[in-house]
Amino acid sequence: MKYSTTTSTLAEARTDCLIAGFSQCRRAAGQQGAASHFRNATTDFEDKSGQTLLINFGSSGRIRRMLVVGGLKGTLTESDFRKAAAAAAKALAAVKAKSALWAIHDIGVKGRDPYWKTMASIGALNDTLYSFNPYKTSEVTPPTLKAVALHADGRSRANVARAVRHGQAALAGLDWARDLGNQPPNVCNPGFLLKEARKLSRLQNVSVTSLDEKKMTELGMGAFMAVSQGSDTPGRMIIIRYNGARKADEAPVVLIGKGITFDTGGISIKPSANMHEMKWDMCGAATVMGATRAAIDAKLPVNLITIVAAAENMPSGGATRPGDIVTTSSGKTVEILNTDAEGRLVLCDAITYATRYKPKAVIDVATLTGAAIVALGNHATAVYANDEDLANALLEAGEYSGDRGWRMPLWDEYQASLKSQFADLANIGTGGAGSVTAACFLSRFAEDLSWAHLDIAGTAFPKGPQNGATGRPVGMLFRYLTEQA
Ligand code: BES
Ligand code: MN
Ligand code: ZN
């Protein structure tokens, strides 16, 4: 989709479809001499949130169609605005229009400016239009809509234009993350993720490298290797560097993604019902890649290092056994009591690797625990951090972008449950709170860092027959990075 900004008044606009509130549409209809057509078409229209009405004026008018969006009067709450935008997007997707003029951000939203409204609007539109069907040979109808102009006036123009630029970048990153997530696990393996990541190296100020298993073994990444060793498909640590900051030596933000391209559980094998969902166990990787691409496309002035810990968790004759003890690259030893708690194993070596960049912040993103779904369902990402400012920045970015998180504890009382009889720590906790104890495990490798962990097991791919990768938390991360700039 091509998004643009326009400041032409509705009296001069030409479009296949104007999307606006009732009074704006009525005025625009009057301006093209169609006041009575408008009146007749809207006699039964309820000007309420969630309602929309399509009016066709035929090909003679400058504005061929109007999508009247209900409830756009006075000052709206954020959630009412998002609802209206979603309803408008859904209705627009059903119209056979090639171009559209989106004017609903002219409406007031409490505490939010045109930048926010534009981001929220095109986010809603993008959500409605997304689909993933490279493997369908039939039943696919591509959307007719090609270009959406966002309406602005003289005052909001700079703000709207910046949001269009940022939104275009953020949504391309989001869609890429969703595409990577939705790929089948026979295609999307660690090598595939590397190949995809390498596409970024064509862009300015970007380089992509990787560590193969030999290198990781040399670096002493015994925890990563304990996961990867059971698979015939070799694991990779992928490193994307983006140098966008004004000062070249500015400390980078490091993003780390869990990239388990399929999680069988290993020897602690999972039940077969819904096991296919574990193809989405690389959504942490997909979303940090997506957020990175968004930051690059938007030319955010930040230094960013993105590390993808990519491996497949399989049972085999060479797989790790429950009870095995491994040494991590930090020097700490781990007793692997459950091979299905593999995400924390690949991540702890990635976190240790991140320390070499002397980062100002490290944020890992992982579909880490089913317990995160128990705690928060599909609505909030579980946010853990050993730094209050970092936690608050991420929570605030989540609120802003509508990609929300909720703070969780990392108390010593929980840490105690990771005690191992024979090693420095065990890879599973006891006493419930599985998302918390998993985060506690990671925190032991981040003691000298400003670090946060996002457990996205609930938000990356909602359960159900129509499920698919959401791309969350690209929105939160993009906003966080924008605010760092
Ligand atoms: N990838 C899973 C967590 C998961 C489950 C994500 C469902 C999304 C949906 C993770 O590797 C895992 O298996 N975790 C175990 C940990 C347990 C063995 C301590 C879990 O949550 O059951
Ligand atoms: Mn697992
Ligand atoms: Zn997993």
Side-chain angles (χ1 to χ4, degrees):
M1 184 66 56
K2 178 86 191 89
Y3 296 102
S4 62
T5 310
T6 177
T7 48
S8 64
T9 64
L10 295 189
E12 35 184 65
R14 285 190 177 278
T15 183
D16 274 1
C17 188
L18 168 70
I19 301 111
F22 185 86
S23 53
Q24 284 170 299
C25 283
R26 184 175 51 198
R27 206 172 323 121
Q31 283 158 347
Q32 67 173 20
S36 65
H37 186 160
F38 183 85
R39 220 172 14 252
N40 293 338
T42 55
T43 40
D44 294 329
F45 181 67
E46 278 189 275
D47 192 3
K48 274 197 196 149
S49 177
Q51 302 289 322
T52 58
L53 177 73
L54 182 74
I55 309 172
N56 209 315
F57 293 93
S59 51
S60 57
R62 285 175 296 97
I63 297 173
R64 289 193 173 193
R65 303 177 186 82
M66 284 182 195
L67 184 58
V68 188
V69 183
L72 296 183
K73 48 195 172 188
T75 304
L76 304 191
T77 62
E78 281 180 35
S79 98
D80 279 344
F81 183 82
R82 285 192 194 281
K83 261 186 235 152
K90 201 160 158 246
L92 179 59
V95 176
K96 295 250 165 299
K98 288 199 196 78
S99 69
L101 175 58
W102 185 277
I104 76 173
H105 66 279
D106 289 355
I107 208 79
V109 178
K110 198 159 178 272
R112 296 304 191 194
D113 67 1
Y115 177 90
W116 183 92
K117 287 182 276 184
T118 305
M119 291 289 266
S121 294
I122 63 183
L125 196 51
N126 188 70
D127 245 12
T128 308
L129 295 174
Y130 178 83
S131 65
F132 180 77
N133 32 41
Y135 300 98
K136 279 202 187 279
T137 61
S138 60
E139 296 171 50
V140 179
T141 35
T144 47
L145 195 63
K146 294 282 176 283
V148 178
L150 279 294
H151 190 253
D153 59 21
R155 268 199 357 217
S156 64
R157 179 191 187 136
N159 241 323
V160 171
R162 182 167 175 267
V164 164
R165 202 165 55 74
H166 278 186
Q168 189 102 43
L171 296 174
L174 183 90
D175 285 356
W176 190 41
R178 298 180 77 172
D179 286 350
L180 294 172
N182 289 331
Q183 286 286 353
N186 57 329
V187 171
C188 179
N189 58 29
F192 175 85
L193 287 177
L194 175 59
K195 208 174 73 208
E196 288 290 309
R198 279 204 180 118
K199 291 182 180 168
L200 297 178
S201 65
R202 290 185 219 129
L203 304 170
Q204 228 181 1
N205 302 324
V206 182
S207 65
V208 179
T209 55
S210 77
L211 310 176
D212 61 14
E213 292 197 338
K214 183 164 164 274
K215 185 75 192 163
M216 286 191 275
T217 305
E218 273 167 38
L219 288 167
M221 295 184 170
F224 181 101
M225 287 306 301
V227 177
S228 199
Q229 74 189 38
S231 172
D232 290 344
T233 310
R236 285 272 181 179
M237 194 77 83
I238 304 163
I239 298 134
I240 309 165
R241 309 182 91 173
Y242 164 56
N243 275 90
R246 287 179 196 95
K247 288 206 332 259
D249 60 351
E250 190 178 293
V253 170
V254 176
L255 301 179
I256 299 176
K258 170 177 173 181
I260 299 296
T261 60
F262 197 75
D263 181 13
T264 65
I267 297 298
S268 312
I269 199 160
K270 286 182 181 295
S272 52
N274 296 322
M275 203 203 270
H276 74 279
E277 292 186 350
M278 286 299 109
K279 77 170 191 175
W280 284 300
D281 212 17
M282 38 58 70
C283 281
T287 53
V288 297
M289 287 167 70
T292 304
R293 171 166 169 185
I296 298 166
D297 280 358
K299 298 190 161 56
L300 296 185
V302 292
N303 285 342
L304 186 61
I305 308 264
T306 301
I307 304 176
V308 171
E312 201 178 47
N313 189 22
M314 299 289 269
S316 76
T320 293
R321 293 152 288 254
D324 283 3
I325 294 178
V326 298
T327 304
T328 66
S329 52
S330 72
K332 289 190 165 117
T333 57
V334 175
E335 183 180 18
I336 300 174
L337 292 174
N338 189 320
T339 64
D340 197 11
E342 84 297 339
R344 61 197 80 180
L345 295 174
V346 297
L347 290 172
C348 71
D349 279 332
I351 292 170
T352 299
Y353 195 77
T355 58
R356 72 179 53 212
Y357 297 109
K358 304 200 167 29
K360 68 170 173 187
V362 175
I363 304 162
D364 78 68
V365 185
T367 49
L368 203 63
T369 63
I373 313 173
V374 176
L376 297 171
N378 300 132
H379 301 298
T381 291
V383 177
Y384 298 87
N386 64 7
D387 176 327
E388 298 304 301
D389 291 342
L390 179 56
N392 290 333
L394 288 167
L395 292 170
E396 179 58 36
E399 288 294 334
Y400 190 92
S401 58
D403 180 3
R404 294 193 288 180
W406 192 254
R407 184 84 185 267
M408 302 282 276
L410 282 170
W411 301 333
D412 287 346
E413 287 86 340
Y414 293 107
Q415 294 280 1
S417 85
L418 292 166
K419 263 198 179 344
S420 157
Q421 198 182 345
F422 303 111
D424 296 338
L425 66 168
N427 81 324
I428 52 170
T430 54
S435 175
V436 181
T437 55
C440 285
F441 179 93
L442 295 176
S443 76
R444 304 284 266 274
F445 299 85
E447 280 152 2
D448 306 323
L449 296 168
S450 166
W451 161 83
H453 158 62
L454 305 176
D455 192 335
I456 58 164
T459 49
F461 60 97
K463 283 211 167 288
Q466 285 301 310
N467 56 4
T470 61
R472 291 180 69 181
V474 170
M476 179 198 283
L477 292 173
F478 183 77
R479 177 65 187 172
Y480 167 79
L481 293 170
T482 307
E483 287 290 279
Q484 294 311 295

